Amino acid sequence: QDVVNKIAAGEIIVAPVHALKELIENAVDAGSTALEVVVKDGGLKLLQITDNGHGIDKEDLAILCERFTTSKLKAFEDLTSIGTYGFRGEALASISHIAHLSVTTRTKESSCAWRAHYADGKLVSPKPGQSAGPKPIAGRPGTQITVEDLFFNVPSRRRAFRSPSEEYAKILELVGKYAVHCSGVSFSCKKQGDSTIGVSVPIAAGTVDRIRQVHGSSVANELVNFKAENERWGFKCEGWISNANYHAKRTTLLLFINHRAVESVAIKKAIEQTYATFLPKGGHPFIYLSLDIDPQRVDVNVHPTKREVHFLNEDEIIAIVCDEIRDSLGKVDTSRSF
Ligand code: ADP
Ligand code: MG
């Protein structure tokens, strides 16, 4: 059974950045307005995320890391109208099978914080001779999740990581994505013991400001806004794309569907093609696109990692989005650059 759990966990989490994505989404789901990430060795030694969200009740800590423990799915009907990011209750369980996991959390109602340690889905004692239950500890409201020694018991997976700096780069990219998307939340991410902060985005009102914080002014100064909405295909979207004064060597796509960072090869290709008609000399766009699609039309179950997403009427929706992009880009004066 443990082997099965470990394999299942390894399918959901194949790199530190995947664990972090789940933890960020949990923190955002918990209504946090500030989120701090600390990393060591590209997340393999340490991934720690501290939020100021609503916290977890002490009573819920015992089953927190059992599979399918979720506070986000009250009834089966919820499955078709998922408002929050998570709903499977598998992330923390998975992480506890392949790492040392500890949780420190305090709700507004609690007079102290509680800390608990987990292994293989269950509460464990931090030291031999100590009991396994949650321990009281001083702490502010919110939750801190600490993941240490990721893949310590999956040597084959651990060997696959050659370079902590590559993993750290992926982590910064992910935190940067959520920092652009989540307008009511401040984000920071840094290496443990390092004084320089990798990503730091305060709560900023405008999307362009947030893009500027993460990606710099050279792109933020050349963005055009686009919006689309269509009742028939059950979607609406808003986004920003670089105009033809900006040409990068590769495409940067920050794609969110129903507020989850996802990948879509189809969307990326279509936007690149649309952009290319405005850049006769070549070059790639920067795009931030937030799509809201009727949850019943999105297939999030395509893969356990939920990264590559498919949805109904993909072609039609993509065509409408690209039409809007074409319209917006067409209005830009690009005589400056050519
Ligand atoms: P899911 O997000 O799919 O519900 P997870 O395994 O990611 O499943 O989390 C399990 C449960 O733990 C969540 O439903 C939530 O109740 C609680 N939880 C996890 N992280 C946090 C957090 N940062 N703040 C508050 N509650 C949390
Ligand atoms: Mg979750």
Side-chain angles (χ1 to χ4, degrees), residues 211 214-224 240-254 275-276 278-288 329 332-338:
I211 292 173
V214 179
H215 297 274
S217 285
S218 63
V219 57
N221 291 342
E222 305 290 354
L223 294 172
V224 293
W240 293 84
I241 185 164
S242 55
N243 66 50
N245 288 317
Y246 175 88
H247 11 136
K249 285 206 183 71
R250 61 180 195 96
T251 302
T252 302
L253 171 60
L254 318 182
Y275 194 71
F278 290 87
L279 278 180
K281 294 178 186 169
H284 292 270
F286 172 97
I287 319 116
Y288 160 63
L329 287 175
V332 177
D333 172 19
T334 52
S335 53
R336 288 184 280 151
S337 70
F338 296 113

Side-chain angles (χ1 to χ4, degrees), residues 26-27 29-30 51 54-56 64 69-72 86-93 143 145:
N26 283 345
D29 281 349
D51 70 48
H54 57 52
I56 302 163
L64 186 73
T69 293
T70 177
S71 59
K72 299 168 193 171
F87 67 97
R88 298 164 161 244
E90 281 183 280
L92 289 179
T143 301
I145 309 272

